[in-house]
Amino acid sequence: MINKEVIDKVKKVVEDSNKIVLITHMSPDGDAIGSSCALGLFLKKLGKTVNIITPDDHPEYLSWVPGIDLVSSYSSKRLRLNELIKAADLIFFLDHNVELRQGFLEPIVKKNSCTKIMIDHHPFPKANVDFCFSRTDVTSTCEMVYNFIKDIYGTNDISSDIATSIYVGINTDTGGLNYNSSNPETYVVVADLLSKGINKMDIHERLYNTFSENRLRLVGYCLHEEMIVLNECSSAIICLSKSIQDKYNFQNGDSEGLVNIPHQIKGIDISILITEKEDRVKLSFRSKGSIPINKFAERFFDGGGHTNAAGGMKKTSLEDTVEIIKKNLPDFMNEYKMNEK
Ligand code: 5GP
Ligand code: MN
């Protein structure tokens, strides 16, 4: 529960603001889009002018989320978005803990000295903000947005649209209420969202069963041909090269969930997806239990994230990236096992 003094201050800041901008992290996922759309719709209900700006495009499978028409991607309409950021009198940072994750937006946002509020659930928040709402024991930024609205305004004005957007991030950040979702509080929130009229089955259908045939064949190909299993360090690596992406007409979002699949193999505790980009590779890491894969991402790939889900980037080839992992993962696992003793 946010304390009374902070509630009053934030309420006043919101009351005194009119042009509000909400910013997400690069490659916005279900939680980034869900949380910004939910809060955006709520602020609109309060009579504010709201713009949600993502550093790059959101994947197509999120294009139905209520509030998505408030979202603009910085990969287009840059001049207009620069103006919007410049003119904002309040900026929210959602679903990211460091400004670096804002990509090209970072320097523009920094230039505006207006009030900034961060709502996020990643460990070690470090950003220049006036109010930082950070909890790492919560499923998602969406759940935090629900709590933020509840503590400050109560839940009466959470419409079924807002509830739907909130549920999107709770669902996607937990793999459908699978991992990181053992806190009973989450289900109290979900119960309230259901009572607001969300259609849970329909949301699930839209999130998980709207992929293209190409995407399913791509996943099949990757598992059959591109998965390296390193039994000695309980790990699997999947490489998604540019040529394979081209072959299967890869679209933004097509690799969603792919990194989780190797966890279905008995004994695989770490799974890594390496996606080849124009001039770099993007890595997705998943781990089981207490293996802090965010530390590995941070140490070798300038990345970070949560204990069990992290990411990073590097300007290396696919082959060299695999070599870096093969070279350093055994020591990392030994270090982890030593610490566990
Ligand atoms: P994903 O694999 O779904 O892209 O990312 C999983 C998690 O890792 C995200 O929720 C985010 O916390 C973190 N993450 C992904 N990419 C990066 C990155 O480049 N830098 C940092 N610091 N964290 C990342
Ligand atoms: Mn999140």
Side-chain angles (χ1 to χ4, degrees):
M1 176 86 192
I2 306 171
N3 80 51
K4 174 86 175 67
E5 196 186 325
V6 176
I7 289 177
D8 289 344
K9 279 188 188 161
V10 172
K11 216 170 176 170
K12 174 98 179 51
V13 166
V14 174
E15 217 169 83
D16 291 345
S17 317
N18 182 32
K19 296 176 204 150
I20 305 181
V21 165
L22 289 73
I23 308 264
T24 73
H25 58 76
M26 281 185 280
S27 310
D29 57 1
D31 194 27
I33 292 297
S35 60
S36 56
C37 287
L39 185 59
L41 287 174
F42 189 83
L43 293 168
K44 261 192 94 70
K45 274 191 134 194
L46 295 179
K48 309 296 173 186
T49 303
V50 177
N51 283 284
I52 300 169
I53 304 179
T54 55
D56 49 7
D57 296 345
H58 61 75
E60 184 56 30
Y61 79 97
L62 294 172
S63 56
W64 62 275
V65 173
I68 203 78
D69 43 352
L70 301 173
V71 178
S72 309
S73 164
Y74 196 65
S75 47
S76 57
K77 297 176 271 182
R78 285 190 176 204
L79 286 177
R80 191 176 80 81
L81 298 182
N82 282 341
E83 288 309 311
L84 281 177
I85 296 170
K86 223 193 230 167
D89 39 28
L90 173 59
I91 301 181
F92 280 89
F93 295 177
L94 290 161
D95 202 34
H96 58 286
N97 56 351
V98 287
E99 279 131 341
L100 191 70
R101 301 267 288 137
Q102 298 168 353
F104 291 124
L105 291 177
E106 184 189 356
I108 304 145
V109 171
K110 232 175 211 152
K111 266 195 208 139
N112 185 336
S113 58
C114 70
T115 305
K116 289 167 186 159
I117 302 178
M118 172 181 273
I119 306 179
D120 180 53
H121 69 134
H122 294 95
F124 315 117
K126 195 170 172 288
N128 195 5
V129 291
D130 301 274
F131 299 92
C132 175
F133 299 101
S134 163
R135 270 179 69 183
T136 54
D137 61 330
V138 171
T139 56
S140 53
T141 302
C142 277
E143 188 174 336
M144 293 202 59
V145 163
Y146 174 91
N147 290 330
F148 177 87
I149 295 174
K150 178 171 173 246
D151 289 355
I152 302 178
Y153 302 97
T155 58
N156 277 350
D157 285 335
I158 295 185
S159 61
S160 69
D161 272 358
I162 296 173
T164 297
S165 299
I166 292 173
Y167 185 69
V168 165
I170 295 180
N171 186 298
T172 53
D173 259 23
T174 58
L177 293 171
N178 176 11
Y179 41 81
N180 298 332
S181 51
S182 297
N183 191 336
E185 264 180 48
T186 301
Y187 297 87
V188 176
V189 174
V190 172
D192 192 34
L193 300 179
L194 285 164
S195 76
K196 302 280 184 197
I198 65 168
N199 187 337
K200 193 168 153 290
M201 278 275 285
D202 180 58
I203 297 171
H204 187 99
E205 199 61 23
R206 286 169 185 267
L207 289 175
Y208 300 108
N209 296 339
T210 54
F211 290 116
S212 64
E213 179 184 338
N214 269 334
R215 124 89 190 190
L216 217 62
R217 294 196 186 280
L218 169 76
V219 169
Y221 178 88
C222 285
L223 296 177
H224 196 254
E225 300 291 335
E226 300 290 339
M227 183 171 70
I228 303 164
V229 176
L230 305 171
N231 281 314
E232 60 285 9
C233 29
S234 318
S235 308
I237 306 170
I238 295 176
C239 292
L240 190 49
S241 65
K242 226 42 207 104
S243 65
I244 296 305
Q245 294 171 43
D246 291 344
K247 182 171 171 201
Y248 289 95
N249 187 24
F250 184 85
Q251 304 293 313
N252 210 357
D254 274 357
S255 58
E256 200 68 41
L258 176 57
V259 65
N260 297 313
I261 300 178
H263 274 316
Q264 294 173 11
I265 305 170
K266 191 173 179 184
I268 294 298
D269 295 331
I270 294 177
S271 175
I272 306 172
L273 171 69
I274 314 172
T275 308
E276 192 174 17
K277 302 272 182 190
E278 289 307 329
D279 63 337
R280 66 190 68 200
V281 291
K282 153 107 184 75
L283 295 100
S284 273
F285 300 89
R286 297 292 183 270
S287 70
K288 283 187 180 166
S290 52
I291 302 171
I293 203 63
N294 51 348
K295 299 241 170 80
F296 189 77
E298 199 180 306
R299 207 175 292 169
F300 300 104
F301 297 101
D302 293 331
H306 311 274
T307 307
N308 295 135
M313 291 196 192
K314 205 169 180 77
K315 291 198 171 176
T316 42
S317 67
L318 271 183
E319 295 73 24
D320 289 351
T321 311
V322 172
E323 285 314 308
I324 293 171
I325 294 168
K326 280 185 173 169
K327 181 163 172 261
N328 293 295
L329 204 50
D331 283 349
F332 175 79
M333 284 304 277
N334 285 335
E335 196 182 305
Y336 158 72
K337 283 177 192 155
M338 292 286 281
N339 289 337
E340 281 293 280
K341 274 186 193 155

